[in-house]
Amino acid sequence: MGGIISESVIKRLPRYYRFLGELKAQGRERISSRELSERMGLTASQIRQDLNCFGGFGQQGYGYNIEVLQSEIGQILKLDRPKNTILIGMGNLGRAVAMHMNFESKGFHLIGLFDSKESLVGQVVRNQPIRSTDTLDEFCRENLPQVAILCIPKEAAEGISAQLIKLGVKAFWNFSHYDIAMNHPGVVVQNIHFSDSLMRLSFKMDD
Amino acid sequence: MGGIISESVIKRLPRYYRFLGELKAQGRERISSRELSERMGLTASQIRQDLNCFGGFGQQGYGYNIEVLQSEIGQILKLDRPKNTILIGMGNLGRAVAMHMNFESKGFHLIGLFDSKESLVGQVVRNQPIRSTDTLDEFCRENLPQVAILCIPKEAAEGISAQLIKLGVKAFWNFSHYDIAMNHPGVVVQNIHFSDSLMRLSFKMDD
DNA sequence: TAGATTGTTAATCGATTAACAATC
DNA sequence: TAGATTGTTAATCGATTAACAATC
């Protein structure tokens, strides 16, 4: 409890959070590790092991209170903490990410949108003006974003990420193929690599 | 060699493919497992183990020929095989996926775009008309897509995926939170769950 | 109390790393 | 040939599963 949490456990936490949210929405009050395991396609053992990395949230003979457990996991995931966030790159992908995601429910406050293309600057997306990347330094010094979402090509990502790290950005949601984590150890990164996912899909298809 | 490949190995294959592609683009001809391991942040042992799941692509005392190895991995990933693909859901996300992805280079031929919203039907994206989901059955019987990309909400995904599986779709690239794999064992699925990734990012941020 | 189900320890399984003989 | 580096076997490490005493 409280020690270093393995990547395997971290990967499963958001899924627990989602499943518990659904159960809560269905009006369910309690659930056993066995029933949850059947719904999620895991073993009951694994669920109990995972949860006990963080504390004893259950009760013998009863199981887990769904609302309490979901809320606990939400706190473990720090979804309640406000995280000032900027998004760089307002092409198709950046636009979709900006419009599509429910950032606020996870504590990510989207405070700035940026693009280097002058023709996009000034356009309004999600009630926010697209700003020029020329103003990035100034904006960051004033607003101290902690998180940056990179929807830019690999070549641009190298420079921008170095710049942002200097300006105090500590976490990246990275849609580019530039390997931030490799080049800047200590920074927190989650990658979304569409093409890797597509290739794995291709691999798994029948012969 | 040729046996069952573990998920851990499958996850790394696209990354090998990408790194080798870059080395090739740089004009490099050969590389040792040691040098590749340093560039990728892995151990040389792991690389050799991974590759030897599929065959002996290297040569003692020399290393690996970059072009040959990349091409071999491409074949292992079946990127050369044509895969007729449809995309369901042309909201912000579907649009971005349709415009942004370089499908063709991985063998995915995008042959149809669909949405249930009548106001979108007829619009042209990426040189293709958006079709009504009412015409899905007919279209699939005529064109036999093997892959479907789902950019629709959870509620819609349940029905659409069942429908598509009946129509012979064998693989899904799933952006929804509906758990296709769980409900339809035997079907091939790769999920992209943005919000799970965001939650993991949140978790990893400093306290 | 009896039944259920947790928290936790021990056993198993699989993946990663190390070592080294084979060989280019 | 000597040096380099693979392919592969053995050792280690970590994650998953099983088992069960604790306890609600």
Side-chain angles (χ1 to χ4, degrees), chain B residues 6 8 12 43 45-46 48-49 59-61:
Chain B
S6 77
S8 327
R12 286 188 291 269
T43 63
S45 249
Q46 182 163 66
R48 293 203 301 276
Q49 286 275 24
Q59 205 162 46
Q60 283 97 330

Side-chain angles (χ1 to χ4, degrees), chain A residues 163-191:
Chain A
Q163 183 184 1
L164 289 170
I165 289 165
K166 262 191 221 149
L167 290 161
V169 170
K170 289 287 194 304
F172 288 86
W173 201 30
N174 178 37
F175 288 76
S176 86
H177 277 156
Y178 174 64
D179 199 326
I180 303 173
M182 184 102 223
N183 292 287
H184 300 277
V187 166
V188 168
V189 182
Q190 276 287 306
N191 296 307

Side-chain angles (χ1 to χ4, degrees), chain A residues 89-110:
Chain A
M90 291 297 291
N92 292 310
L93 178 62
R95 238 163 240 276
V97 169
M99 317 251 303
H100 174 267
M101 282 300 302
N102 187 358
F103 294 109
E104 303 295 333
S105 70
K106 284 148 212 106
F108 293 89
H109 300 310
L110 197 53

Side-chain angles (χ1 to χ4, degrees), chain A residues 6 12 43 45-46 48-49 59-60:
Chain A
S6 76
R12 284 188 292 269
T43 64
S45 248
Q46 182 162 67
R48 294 204 300 278
Q49 287 274 26
Q59 204 161 47
Q60 281 97 330

